[in-house]
Amino acid sequence: MKKQLFITRKLPSHIIEPLHTYYNIVEWPEEEAVMPREKLLAAVKDCEALWVTLADQVDAELLAYAPNLKIVSTLSVGFNNIDMNALRGRGIIATNTPDVLTDTTADLVFALLLATARRIPEAERYLREGKWQGWYPLQLVGKDVGGATIGIIGLGRIGQAVAKRALGFDMKVLYHNRNRKLAEEERYGFHYRALEDLLQESDFVVVMTPYSKETEGLIGERELALMQEDAVLINVARGGIVNETALYDALKNNKLWAAGLDVFEQEPVALQHPLLTLPNVVALPHIGSASLQTRTAMMNLNVQALLAYAQDETILNRVDRY
């Protein structure tokens, strides 16, 4: 008898095709719209397997509606949308999609850094709005990236990939991490710093640490005040790590030069959000892993996990054991 699988997004048919052999599949029919919570709770009643995205909260409330649930696969590396304690209490397996998006996300970090430093979105709007009437010496001047100092908070796989790209721009690489990366320091010349020192010394501060209770609000009013007034903050990790109210105040009062953000505390971010009113903020809709090759690879990792579960084989990329 086939197992019941529910998918919270409409996914390409060729991706999920191998699963039909083992599962009766029901999909939320929308590709873009987030599934309403009440509909999700109703949909999991009979499912044994659940395939979700970061927008879908898998918590104790949902588990109460899903008595048959045995495995949850999330289409993401991060899994802060899943209450791991609740899953462990029920012996439910959880999997994610690590490794395959490292380079794609690191590319986006540097694209956002460059766009923010050189005011690329602002310059494009300037041209399209008919404001380009000639040349003058301080027209849309930005910050040099080459030769600057970059401070990376969180030197995991993606953080290291960002650091290696920075070397190509002759940047001095500082980093802060729970554990020192001595091998990387020796091989690439990275420099460890305490968080306060990194903030004070860096021209560009890049937040790459995972979201957790320990990192929630990690960059707040005090930390932003330590940064140079002409520094740039880049966050491609998770919303909530940076205090958005404090960031707005720092940018508004010229205590920080600019910020590039791919993530927000609430997503999608409201168009009325104060940060979106500032010209020195470059904002993106959480597209860190958004290349066709990478998103396809991520979906395939979820498929492999669900197939392994259905065939009682070893399931890779489990996060319920962390």
Side-chain angles (χ1 to χ4, degrees), residues 116-231:
T116 305
R118 295 300 302 272
R119 300 169 65 181
I120 301 299
E122 185 181 355
E124 186 191 28
R125 292 193 299 269
Y126 183 87
L127 182 152
R128 290 181 180 274
E129 293 169 2
K131 296 179 180 178
W132 186 24
Q133 301 299 316
W135 182 93
Y136 59 91
L138 296 181
Q139 183 181 37
L140 292 165
V141 292
K143 286 178 60 68
D144 284 331
V145 174
T149 297
I150 184 173
I152 301 173
I153 303 172
L155 202 71
R157 291 187 182 93
I158 300 174
Q160 290 182 42
V162 172
K164 292 173 186 176
R165 283 158 175 76
L167 295 178
F169 283 79
D170 295 322
M171 301 182 84
K172 180 179 180 179
V173 177
L174 311 181
Y175 78 94
H176 178 75
N177 200 64
R178 286 184 300 177
N179 304 304
R180 288 189 64 168
K181 303 286 186 178
L182 297 176
E184 284 72 22
E185 290 180 28
E186 183 174 352
R187 181 175 181 182
Y188 298 109
F190 302 159
H191 304 275
Y192 175 82
R193 291 289 191 274
L195 179 59
E196 292 79 4
D197 294 332
L198 180 147
L199 294 170
Q200 292 174 327
E201 296 179 38
S202 300
D203 300 301
F204 297 89
V205 172
V206 179
V207 180
M208 296 304 309
T209 187
Y211 180 85
S212 67
K213 291 181 179 179
E214 290 73 27
T215 61
E216 182 178 359
L218 179 68
I219 306 299
E221 181 179 358
R222 173 183 173 274
E223 289 73 25
L224 293 168
L226 292 172
M227 294 176 63
Q228 302 171 31
E229 290 189 357
D230 64 344

Side-chain angles (χ1 to χ4, degrees), residues 235-250:
N235 186 10
V236 190
R238 283 289 182 270
I241 298 174
V242 177
N243 183 307
E244 293 176 358
T245 301
L247 178 60
Y248 172 80
D249 290 340

Side-chain angles (χ1 to χ4, degrees), residues 30 37 53 156 166 168 175-176 245 265 276:
E30 299 289 339
R37 178 69 173 179
T53 73
Y175 78 94
H176 178 75
T245 301
E265 291 179 15
L276 300 188

Side-chain angles (χ1 to χ4, degrees), residues 100-125:
V100 295
L101 50 69
T102 299
D103 285 323
T104 301
T105 305
D107 286 349
L108 189 279
V109 172
F110 238 87
L112 182 56
L113 187 153
L114 288 165
T116 305
R118 295 300 302 272
R119 300 169 65 181
I120 301 299
E122 185 181 355
E124 186 191 28
R125 292 193 299 269

